[in-house]
Structure formats: structure tokens, C-alpha cells
Amino acid sequence: MMILPQLPLYAIAIICGLFSFFATRLSMPKIIKKLRDADIVGKDLHKSWHPVVAEMGGFGILFGFTIGMFSGIYMHEILAFPLCIVLVVILLVGIIGIVDDLLVLSSKEKLFLLFLAGLPLIWAAPSNVGILYLILIPIALSIGSNLTNMLAGLNGIESGLGIISLASLTISCIILGKYDVTIISMSMLGALIVFLYYNKYPAQIFPGDTGTLIIGAAIVCIAFIGRVKLIALIVLMPNIIDAAMKFYSAGVMERQQFKPTQVSDDGKLIRPETGFKSLIRFVIRKPITEKQAVYMIWGIGLIFGVLGILVALTMPGVIGNQTLANFLQIKEAFYHI
């Protein structure tokens, strides 16, 4: 039964975000304690004193997101089916993250399992699309989840970038009148905002693959269900640039092959003379503190987030851009291949 049918979609999205926020806020201290008691911890290698920090904090993000999504499903029965599909996908991706955190999957294993986790999204695709579009959905989810998993390692960098990306997507979807997918974005935003409080410098908890993978998965789900793939691609550009730099400089590497960034006695990050290239190592060409490096990466993310919003403002139906409308009609033809 649909509850509060008089509420507009944007109001439901806000309520979902609030439920997610408070569920994460109430659970996170307990999760940190439980993880510490279970010795699920890791050393923070980017500090000279190497503090021990709780790992797998993605549990808290996943819990808050689930509560937010259940709220949306309960309040809007018309959207219940696609929202359930998204929730199933995110939960599957979260499970893969848990397995990866505990057992350390290879890159091929992770990509394949994430592809399988993305298959349910096919049931939320439009009925008139072709096989190529359907195959692209789980592939995109596998790649997108890995993108947000790769640009990581500094206190608050993953959760902060996730907030910037999802906030930009939320604003863009509101501009375009796609209020249905804001339920997804607000549910993830509420959890991430709380998580950032515990994950920012000096971090009390790390997200682990449990947290980083579901951020990218949520963005891909919004991109396909809300049909805002171009904007999602733009807000993910920092992650894409980082992945391209790593692949170009070192090909596909397992995490155990990574040589960590060095830390000076005064706590500044120093780029190793050899090894792979990355966006983080690009911003620490000169020794800087961890907080400064994170703020710089966030700044890059903010630039692309604003660019994504500007693209939304130029979409057809907003200012009547006929040239862009014609281009998008051509693009639509590829969906039926």
C-alpha cells in the first residue's frame, strides 16, 4: 500500500535521504567498535605513526542506503520495482566488496562478479532497447564500480568524491525533472555524508571495497535508470583520469603490487621516484600534507561536478537547444541495435 501519496517525488527523496542519514549516524559508532573488537583493522600508511583504523566501513554506508531505499519503496509503490532492482544490485555489489575485503579477489574475478551483479539492472531497462544496450548495462556497472574503488587510499577521498558526484547528479536530475532517481541518489548521499564525518582526516574508519564499490554502482544505476549517462560520465572523470593514468603507466596491477606513497617525518606525502602514475601522485608532485592532497582531489571532482550540472542546464527541454536535441536523437538510434 502506498503511504502519503500526496507527497511529491522530491519530498520522498528528501525523506529517504534523512532516513539514510540517521540510520548511518546511529549505527556507525557501533560498527566501528564491532570491527575493532573483531580485529578487522588496518594500518593508515599515510601517517608517520601508522595508526590502526577500523576497516570495511562500507557496512555503515550499505545499511543507511538500504534503510533509505526501503523508505522510498514503501512510500511510492509505482517506483517499487525499479527501486527494488537497484537495491538488489547495490546489495550484491556490497557482498562482493565484503568478499574482496576479506579474501582479496583478483582484478578479473572482481570484474566478472560485478558484471553478474549488474545483470538485474537489465530488468529496469526500457522495453524497446536492443541487445547491445542491455549488454552494456552490466559492463558499465562493473567498470563504474571499479573506478570509484581505484581512486582511494587517503582519508575522506572516496566518500568526499562520492558526495560531490552524487550531489551533482541529484541537482542535474532535479533540473531535468528526473525526480524518481533522486530517491537513489539521496539515499546514498545521506549515508555518505555521515560516513565522511568518521572517514575524514584523521580517519576513524576506512570504507574498504565494501564502501568504494557501491558508490560507483549507485552512480551507474542512476545513469541508466535516469538516462543521465553523459552527466554520470562527466562527474566520474576524476576516477576515469586516475584509472587511465594507472593503466597507461603500469597496465593492470593487483593491489599487492602497489608501492605505497611515502611519508616524510613531518607528515607530508612524497611521491615515489618509480612506480605507477595516478591522480593522487600527480597532485603530490611536491610534498604536501594528506589533507591538502584530499582537498585538491575534491577540487578536481567539484570542477567536473559543476560541469555536469551545466550540461544538464543545456539539455533539450531546459533551454530548447535544438542542435543538441538533434544530436541526442541520433544517439537514441544506437539504443535499438
Side-chain angles (χ1 to χ4, degrees):
M1 182 176 67
M2 184 163 56
I3 305 299
L4 300 175
Q6 74 279 5
L7 285 179
L9 278 172
Y10 68 83
I12 293 175
I14 292 172
I15 293 171
C16 291
L18 290 173
F19 272 115
S20 174
F21 178 92
F22 287 111
T24 310
R25 178 66 184 86
L26 292 171
S27 63
M28 190 56 68
K30 293 182 176 65
I31 289 172
I32 293 173
K33 184 179 184 303
K34 290 289 185 182
L35 290 171
R36 283 184 170 276
D37 291 344
D39 200 31
I40 303 177
V41 296
K43 289 184 178 180
D44 192 339
L45 299 178
H46 295 116
K47 294 177 180 63
S48 56
W49 63 97
H50 292 171
V52 175
V53 179
E55 295 261 24
M56 292 178 65
F59 274 124
I61 304 172
L62 198 59
F63 176 69
F65 176 79
T66 302
I67 296 298
M69 289 292 286
F70 269 131
S71 303
I73 292 166
Y74 192 60
M75 287 188 287
H76 205 295
E77 64 180 11
I78 296 174
L79 295 175
F81 179 73
L83 291 179
C84 283
I85 291 291
V86 171
L87 182 56
V88 168
V89 169
I90 299 300
L91 288 173
L92 287 173
V93 172
I95 292 170
I96 294 167
I98 292 169
V99 173
D100 194 25
D101 282 329
L102 295 176
L103 303 180
V104 186
L105 300 170
S106 69
S107 297
K108 291 180 180 179
E109 289 171 337
K110 197 189 308 183
L111 282 168
F112 177 68
L113 289 173
L114 288 169
F115 175 86
L116 295 180
L119 289 175
L121 268 182
I122 291 175
W123 277 268
S127 58
N128 60 339
V129 295
I131 186 67
L132 184 62
Y133 183 89
L134 296 178
I135 294 174
L136 180 63
I137 293 174
I139 293 175
L141 185 121
S142 180
I143 294 172
S145 300
N146 265 292
L147 286 174
T148 53
N149 184 47
M150 292 176 69
L151 182 48
L154 303 181
N155 292 177
I157 192 169
E158 308 99 318
S159 50
L161 276 178
I163 289 170
I164 292 168
S165 299
L166 285 160
S168 302
L169 268 177
T170 301
I171 295 170
S172 299
C173 289
I174 291 171
I175 291 169
L176 296 170
K178 300 176 183 291
Y179 299 108
D180 51 346
V181 287
T182 60
I183 294 173
I184 305 169
S185 61
M186 289 295 289
S187 295
M188 184 60 75
L189 261 177
L192 283 176
I193 290 170
V194 174
F195 184 79
L196 178 61
Y197 174 78
Y198 296 97
N199 182 228
K200 64 181 175 60
Y201 185 97
Q204 300 177 50
I205 191 167
F206 295 144
D209 287 5
T210 311
T212 55
L213 290 174
I214 63 175
I215 295 172
I219 292 172
V220 173
C221 289
I222 294 165
F224 278 93
I225 293 180
R227 309 207 53 183
V228 286
K229 293 178 284 296
L230 176 59
I231 297 171
L233 187 69
I234 292 170
V235 301
L236 280 173
M237 280 309 297
N239 307 84
I240 294 170
I241 292 169
D242 177 73
M245 293 175 73
K246 288 175 179 173
F247 184 78
Y248 177 77
S249 61
V252 177
M253 294 189 301
E254 303 297 340
R255 72 186 74 183
Q256 57 267 29
Q257 296 175 283
F258 292 0
K259 185 177 181 181
T261 301
Q262 299 168 355
V263 184
S264 65
D265 293 335
D266 60 354
K268 291 187 176 180
L269 303 181
I270 303 173
R271 182 173 64 179
E273 295 181 2
T274 59
F276 64 92
K277 293 179 171 61
S278 70
L279 192 58
I280 293 175
R281 295 189 176 187
F282 175 78
V283 302
I284 59 172
R285 288 170 294 175
K286 294 181 180 180
I288 57 176
T289 65
E290 183 178 5
K291 288 177 71 174
Q292 289 172 327
V294 170
Y295 290 154
M296 291 174 72
I297 298 293
W298 284 357
I300 295 170
L302 190 59
I303 290 170
F304 284 105
V306 171
L307 182 59
I309 294 170
L310 292 175
V311 169
L313 287 168
T314 62
M315 287 288 188
V318 178
I319 61 173
N321 188 323
Q322 189 59 45
T323 302
L324 185 57
N326 292 336
F327 169 76
L328 291 176
Q329 285 178 356
I330 297 172
K331 186 194 72 171
E332 291 284 333
F334 288 99
Y335 293 161
H336 307 292
I337 297 176

